[in-house]
Amino acid sequence: METLETRYGNLPVDGPVDRYRDGSLRAVSLDGPVALETSLGRLTPQHTIDDSRRMQLPQLTFFPNGQVRSLPLETSTVVDTPVGELPAELVTFHENGAVARVFPLNGKLSGYWTEADEAGLAETLSLDTSIGRIASRFVSVAFSPDGELRSLTLWPGEEVTVKTPVGNAPARLGLSFHSGGALRSLEPARPMETPTPAGVIWAYDPDAVGISGDENSLAFDLSGTVSRVATIRSQLVARLPGEAPRELAPAVRESICGDGDHEITPLVLEFTAQNLVARHGSIGKPFAVLPRANATFVAKPFVSAFAVSFAPKRCSM
């Protein structure tokens, strides 16, 4: 059995070893039990394959400085985090050794093990946060390098009601926090009237994808003012001195299913100290950057939205 010498001791190796250009260890699979001393205590990386949901031996990964980065666990282990004890099958770390993210489950999705199968194993956890206690099934709980709660990623289908700067709001997919604990963003579970610097907008993004709760469509600055909002129900009329009024609205596109139906691409508005930035979709390029000084904005319903389904079209075979 080949072994590698690391800052955590000798590691038994299974298969090839991945290294950085300078020769330092990047990733390796293990061939036997070993305990690693971490900021969460002594943890045993996964080194066996046991059933249909853990059919693959995941790699243990490292930063160039030798600090463990991603640590899949042999068995579900309760770890003591900044928000209390959490069950974990996978933990990741920052380069300074502090915990970065805790995954209560870490099954491998395949034709034999589906997301629904994995979700069926998820238990409801209750966490104390700066905006109150939140109980849900979590895909992951993330922390900043200095140990503050950074974000919560919810299982698809989960919904929680949280306290926000604009009142209590239903959230899905995820929510995130500023340093210091103030709510930074959330993903609205349904359209909600939201006061913004440009007027009241119906906030909702049907295209939101819950890969992580770090970034969401409704965001707030440290003062609690809306800094980003996505909408399919509202549009803006912008008026600048000496210029014709300009309409900023969601985009209606033909369905990707190609059956003559239509879908809406959300209008995403971002508010900086100087400008209002408008784009279609969360990753689209801005189609308008308007100065906020001396400008007036009027929000009104986007009428076309009421003729188009709010939910993304699901194509049939």
Side-chain angles (χ1 to χ4, degrees), residues 23-66:
S24 58
L25 179 62
R26 184 201 299 265
V28 67
S29 295
L30 300 186
D31 193 33
V34 62
L36 277 62
E37 190 67 49
T38 74
S39 60
L40 297 177
R42 292 177 65 82
L43 301 176
T44 301
Q46 186 180 345
H47 56 275
T48 63
I49 300 173
D50 51 12
D51 56 30
S52 59
R53 68 179 291 265
R54 306 189 87 183
M55 297 169 52
Q56 183 178 352
L57 192 62
Q59 289 190 316
L60 182 67
T61 66
F62 298 84
F63 289 102
N65 68 356

Side-chain angles (χ1 to χ4, degrees), residues 161-180:
T161 299
V162 296
K163 181 180 179 181
T164 81
V166 295
N168 290 340
R172 64 188 179 109
L173 301 180
L175 53 155
S176 67
F177 301 86
H178 287 287
S179 176

Side-chain angles (χ1 to χ4, degrees), residues 28 55 84 99 120 137 155 185 239 270 285 289 293 316:
V28 67
M55 297 169 52
V99 60
R137 296 182 302 165
W155 273 96
S185 70
R239 290 183 172 87
E270 297 177 359
K285 293 183 178 180
V289 179
S316 59

Side-chain angles (χ1 to χ4, degrees), residues 17-248:
V17 177
D18 186 16
R19 296 184 180 276
Y20 291 100
R21 287 187 176 183
D22 64 1
S24 58
L25 179 62
R26 184 201 299 265
V28 67
S29 295
L30 300 186
D31 193 33
V34 62
L36 277 62
E37 190 67 49
T38 74
S39 60
L40 297 177
R42 292 177 65 82
L43 301 176
T44 301
Q46 186 180 345
H47 56 275
T48 63
I49 300 173
D50 51 12
D51 56 30
S52 59
R53 68 179 291 265
R54 306 189 87 183
M55 297 169 52
Q56 183 178 352
L57 192 62
Q59 289 190 316
L60 182 67
T61 66
F62 298 84
F63 289 102
N65 68 356
Q67 161 66 40
V68 66
R69 182 172 189 169
S70 176
L71 201 169
L73 300 174
E74 176 68 6
T75 60
S76 180
T77 304
V78 175
V79 295
D80 191 10
T81 76
V83 293
E85 293 186 339
L86 295 174
E89 289 188 351
L90 170 68
V91 292
T92 64
F93 297 89
H94 294 287
E95 199 162 3
N96 67 354
V99 60
R101 203 177 293 267
V102 174
F103 296 82
L105 297 174
N106 186 40
K108 176 68 174 179
L109 302 186
S110 68
Y112 303 97
W113 191 259
T114 67
E115 182 180 284
D117 293 324
E118 188 77 351
L121 298 179
E123 61 180 294
T124 297
L125 303 174
S126 185
L127 305 181
D128 286 321
T129 76
S130 59
I131 59 173
R133 181 173 288 253
I134 297 177
S136 182
R137 296 182 302 165
F138 300 104
V139 173
S140 69
V141 180
F143 304 92
S144 64
D146 57 3
E148 292 188 303
L149 180 62
R150 187 177 70 185
S151 70
L152 302 171
T153 303
L154 281 58
W155 273 96
E158 290 290 286
E159 181 179 317
V160 296
T161 299
V162 296
K163 181 180 179 181
T164 81
V166 295
N168 290 340
R172 64 188 179 109
L173 301 180
L175 53 155
S176 67
F177 301 86
H178 287 287
S179 176
L183 185 66
R184 180 171 176 263
S185 70
L186 64 88
E187 199 57 57
R190 63 186 66 90
M192 54 179 284
E193 285 187 292
T194 306
T196 78
V200 176
I201 298 292
W202 282 87
Y204 183 64
D205 182 358
D207 292 335
V209 179
I211 297 176
S212 80
D214 296 357
E215 297 292 339
N216 303 287
S217 66
L218 178 57
F220 306 91
D221 62 22
L222 283 170
S223 71
T225 300
V226 170
S227 59
R228 180 176 65 250
V229 62
T231 181
I232 58 172
R233 279 194 174 186
S234 300
Q235 63 180 341
L236 283 185
V237 176
R239 290 183 172 87
L240 297 173
E243 297 185 17
R246 183 167 183 180
E247 288 195 349
L248 310 177

